[in-house]
């Protein structure tokens, strides 16, 4: 029972820190609200789906940034899609960087876009690592409870 | 993950509306958003089908499917939300069509509304945003 409480506490702490440090916003809570006994891993599945699908969008953006001349209209469209997808899972820092990217895009600032895109990829990867750790903890908590 | 994307039987049988359940079509090219919206609407007791672009949505209707409510994303490949909405209205589809967008510009939303939407809302769908729409659909059923 002690172990269960300990793991549960770790889960709660990690979850709180993800919000406090600005990695996640309220949209993540909406996903949690949709999780139930019929779909106990809904949040993890949606996050996995997001990372699997958004890899394609990241590639598109990378290619669009590489092309000369840069088609800022297309770049903005890709980033709009990526921002929307990121927002849907509550990826707050990623979303903020996407918004900055679009400002540079509208201004036709290629350097600004490139720099911000590196930032986006960092935040994207960082969130992925943190959520992977979080879901592992959640899984451990579930196993501890049923033991 | 079991995300069922029902197909319409070629015999034109309406496989979507069942008694006392509101049938909804979610049209969005983003699989993450489709999944979330489907789960949200299902949790509210609706029968949900999905389409990944405007052309699919039009095809479903052409094959005889009907819905009480359609949530239509604005920006989609193949056929976007504006074109799909115009086509559905030209086909005589009177279903409530609600545009869903993350775009901020009033002119974009105005264009979308003028394509034939009943309403336009900002992503993401939430229970608070959906409930009044469902209320209106049920009153008109």
């Amino acid at each position: 029972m002690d172990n269960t409480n300990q793991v549960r506490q770790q889960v709660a702490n990690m979850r709180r820190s993800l919000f406090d440090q600005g990695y996640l916003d309220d949209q993540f809570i909406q996903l949690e609200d949709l999780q139930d006994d019929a779909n106990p891993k809904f949040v993890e599945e949606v996050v996995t789906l997001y990372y699997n699908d958004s890899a394609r969008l990241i590639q598109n953006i990378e290619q669009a940034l590489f092309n000369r001349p840069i088609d800022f209209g297309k770049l903005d469209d890709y980033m709009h899609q990526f921002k929307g997808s990121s927002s849907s899972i509550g990826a707050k820092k990623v979303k903020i960087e996407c918004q900055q990217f679009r400002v540079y895009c509208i201004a036709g600032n290629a350097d600004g876009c490139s720099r911000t895109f590196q930032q986006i990829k960092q935040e994207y990867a960082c969130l992925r690592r943190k959520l992977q750790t979080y879901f592992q903890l959640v899984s451990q908590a579930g196993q501890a409870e049923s033991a | 993950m079991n995300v069922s994307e029902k197909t319409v039987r070629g015999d034109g049988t309406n496989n979507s509306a069942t008694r006392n359940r509101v049938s909804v079509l979610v049209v969005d090219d983003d699989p993450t958003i489709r999944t979330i919206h489907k789960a949200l609407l299902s949790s509210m007791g609706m029968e949900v089908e999905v389409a990944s672009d405007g052309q699919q949505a039009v095809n479903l209707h052409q094959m005889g499917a009907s819905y009480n409510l359609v949530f239509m994303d604005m920006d989609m490949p193949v056929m976007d939300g504006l074109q799909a909405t115009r086509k559905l209205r030209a086909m005589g589809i009177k279903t409530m069509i609600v545009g869903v967008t993350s775009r901020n510009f009033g002119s974009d939303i105005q264009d979308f509304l003028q394509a034939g939407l009943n309403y336009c809302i900002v992503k993401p769908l939430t229970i608070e945003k959906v409930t009044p729409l469902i209320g209106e659909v049920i009153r008109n059923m």
Side-chain angles (χ1 to χ4, degrees):
Chain A
M1 183 59 105
D2 263 347
N3 185 43
T4 307
N5 286 339
Q6 221 173 9
V7 180
R8 237 191 249 155
Q9 194 56 51
Q10 280 179 306
V11 170
N13 289 345
M14 182 158 193
R15 183 185 175 279
R16 190 168 43 245
S17 80
L18 286 169
F19 284 96
D20 290 348
Q21 289 173 28
Y23 287 102
L24 297 175
D25 63 25
D26 284 352
Q27 183 55 29
F28 191 82
I29 298 173
Q30 302 270 357
L31 300 189
E32 290 177 321
D33 287 345
L34 292 172
Q35 186 158 292
D36 57 21
D37 291 340
N39 219 338
K41 291 203 158 199
F42 177 74
V43 181
E44 185 175 353
E45 286 169 358
V46 168
V47 169
T48 303
L49 180 60
Y50 161 73
Y51 275 100
N52 288 344
D53 185 65
S54 57
R56 163 187 65 88
L57 292 172
I58 296 233
Q59 227 174 350
N60 288 345
I61 294 165
E62 218 131 39
Q63 185 59 53
L65 274 171
F66 180 75
N67 290 341
R68 290 294 180 272
I70 293 180
D71 183 341
F72 286 102
K74 200 172 232 176
L75 200 47
D76 187 55
D77 283 346
Y78 287 143
M79 187 51 73
H80 174 73
Q81 282 180 61
F82 179 67
K83 178 176 153 261
S85 205
S86 304
S87 298
S88 76
I89 68 152
K92 188 174 177 182
K93 287 194 182 193
V94 175
K95 184 177 86 172
I96 287 169
E97 294 298 336
C98 290
Q99 285 165 341
Q100 184 55 56
F101 183 99
R102 295 190 74 200
V103 169
Y104 284 126
C105 218
I106 289 164
N109 184 336
D111 284 341
C113 287
S114 292
R115 273 196 321 270
T116 312
F117 189 54
Q118 296 313 311
Q119 203 52 34
I120 287 170
K121 287 196 289 184
Q122 272 182 38
E123 295 296 349
Y124 175 81
C126 181
L127 178 64
R128 180 182 216 158
R129 285 192 303 271
K130 287 186 182 288
L131 286 175
Q132 277 171 344
T133 305
Y134 174 68
F135 290 130
Q136 274 165 14
L137 264 178
V138 168
S139 184
Q140 277 173 35
Q143 284 165 13
E145 236 166 280
S146 53
Chain B
M1 168 185 285
N2 179 21
V3 176
S4 66
E5 302 192 53
K6 286 160 52 175
T7 56
V8 177
R9 290 193 289 273
D11 61 4
T13 311
N14 185 338
N15 68 341
S16 42
T18 55
R19 184 178 293 184
N20 296 330
R21 291 190 79 185
V22 174
S23 66
V24 182
L25 178 66
V26 170
V27 190
D28 200 304
D29 61 316
D30 187 307
T32 308
I33 292 174
R34 275 201 309 272
T35 303
I36 294 169
H37 288 174
K38 181 179 164 118
L40 171 74
L41 295 166
S42 299
S43 78
M44 295 173 73
M46 281 167 262
E47 193 155 312
V48 188
E49 290 184 38
V50 296
S52 56
D53 59 60
Q55 186 61 66
Q56 278 197 17
V58 168
N59 291 347
L60 282 167
H61 285 85
Q62 281 173 339
M63 287 162 76
S66 69
Y67 307 92
N68 301 120
L69 174 55
V70 176
F71 285 106
M72 183 77 76
D73 184 25
M74 183 191 272
D75 297 301
M76 293 180 287
V78 185
M79 183 185 288
D80 66 23
L82 278 84
Q83 292 175 290
T85 302
R86 282 191 202 111
K87 268 218 159 150
L88 291 175
R89 293 306 190 208
M91 285 164 59
I93 302 298
K94 306 260 186 278
T95 303
M96 181 187 286
I97 303 177
V98 178
V100 185
T101 181
S102 47
R103 295 224 176 246
N104 291 328
F105 296 119
S107 56
D108 290 336
I109 293 172
Q110 276 309 310
D111 290 344
F112 203 3
L113 282 163
Q114 277 166 18
L117 298 179
N118 295 87
Y119 304 103
C120 192
I121 59 180
V122 177
K123 284 183 189 180
L125 296 184
T126 62
I127 291 175
E128 291 74 25
K129 290 177 189 173
V130 170
T131 300
L133 300 170
I134 300 304
E136 185 172 328
V137 165
I138 290 172
R139 281 194 297 278
N140 295 333
M141 275 169 79

